[in-house]
Amino acid sequence: MIFSAIALFGIISLYNLPIELMPTIEGGKISIITYVRGGMPSMEIEKRLAKLLEENLSDISHLKHILTVSKEGENTVVLEFEPEANMDYASLEVRERLAKIKDEFPREAERPVIFQFGYGEFPIIAVTLISNRYTPEDLRKLAEDFLKEKFLRIEGVARAEIVGGREEKIMIELDKRKLAAYNLSLQEILDIVGASNINLVGGKINQRGTKYLVRCLGEFKTIEDIRNLAIKVSEEGSLIRLKDIAEVKADFLEPRRLSRLNIHPAVTIYIYKKSLANTLKVCEAVEDLAHQLSSELGEYTYTIVSLNRAEFVKKAINQLKISLLIGSILAIGVLFMFLREYLTIVVLSLSIPFSILFVFSMMYLAKLSINTLTLAGLCLGAGMLLDSSIVVLENIFKRRESTGRLNKTDIATASEEMSVPIFASILTTIIVFLPLIFVNKEIQKLYSGIALSITFSLMGSLG
């Protein structure tokens, strides 16, 4: 009954274990990206934004290093934490700190984007949009307004990055002569435009036991709202609007990165997964959604999966699975060459799948993933799985030869006689991995998978 339960739990664990190419190493890093409108130079961003962030984030709990990169229109802060830091709590603390200082940001700064990433912070799959009718700008708008949110809803997706096409912007080109004629400065225009493009809370109204929240909606909805923005009242009493002193038009930002597919302009959505998500499941879900969207977008626009790391992961994992299977078959073949007793070989061979299922169960409880290192450890352990069974079997044969008979009591006695030597033999193998306790956390996380998979294999062979 116990063996059946372990086997069943092992099968369930096998289908729920994350599958990766390499072990997931929690990098202990949080990145904060802040975009700044107006093309502010890097020196000014460093002075007005980067130093403010460094001063307020430098004393966060378990912070190891802080790296700041400032460039035109963008500031990035990378916080690296100690291995023992709880990244969920660290992320929450970062958000609280940013909420306290948001009023001190330059008015040109947009809301900071915070995301947590580990060792393998690379896109796992990319979906490319191409069309023989629409421009890359149209495709980018489609991706930003409609497609990006769909990909973010997939379980295990951390973020989606859009590359290609030019972003929309509103250009306000001021006439210097008219500014001078109306005695207006550039800063005044900036202040008025910035103060007008916001929504404010207007308070509460209590009426007959019902509470109403009042909001003042002032955000611009169309380009005409911007053109008709009141700037000043002239001496004659007439209202001076923005369109009277400037040309307001829709335009595009200069592209930072371009995307092409088979020399044709395109827009690509790069998908990043969460650190503990299953690469194969996330890629499969994204691929299914991409095919579904291709049929929904019509005959002029379609999607192509231009990058899929899951294919390489599948190949690597499948090769190791084949090696594990071949190793098990060779081990059984060696038994057949020496024992030449079919029933005995079958009994011994059953210890291999049971031990492997036991390993998967323990890997699931230990929160490990199926990767090249854990499977390599399992391949190494596969050759050791039969050692305990062979030693016990040899002692049973000796007892049969010495007594001339064999019953359940003799088998149990022969097995008990070998329990201490087998346990000592397995312990000497496991003790080799003890030095891993004394290395740093990163090395432990990288190599603990192969050590634990071998240890679990040997533990399973005791059954």
Side-chain angles (χ1 to χ4, degrees), residues 125-129 151 267-271 286 290 303-306:
I125 189 170
V127 180
T128 300
L129 295 172
F151 287 112
V267 171
T268 301
I269 305 174
Y270 290 98
I271 307 297
V286 171
T303 60
I304 295 177
V305 177
S306 53

Side-chain angles (χ1 to χ4, degrees), residues 261-301:
L261 183 65
N262 298 329
I263 75 172
H264 297 292
V267 171
T268 301
I269 305 174
Y270 290 98
I271 307 297
Y272 296 79
K273 76 175 186 68
K274 295 179 181 178
S275 59
L276 296 180
N278 189 315
T279 299
L280 298 184
K281 288 185 178 180
V282 173
C283 288
E284 183 179 352
V286 171
E287 199 168 4
D288 291 342
L289 179 59
H291 293 321
Q292 177 185 340
L293 292 174
S294 186
S295 59
E296 293 178 359
L297 293 175
E299 56 180 328
Y300 300 107
T301 305

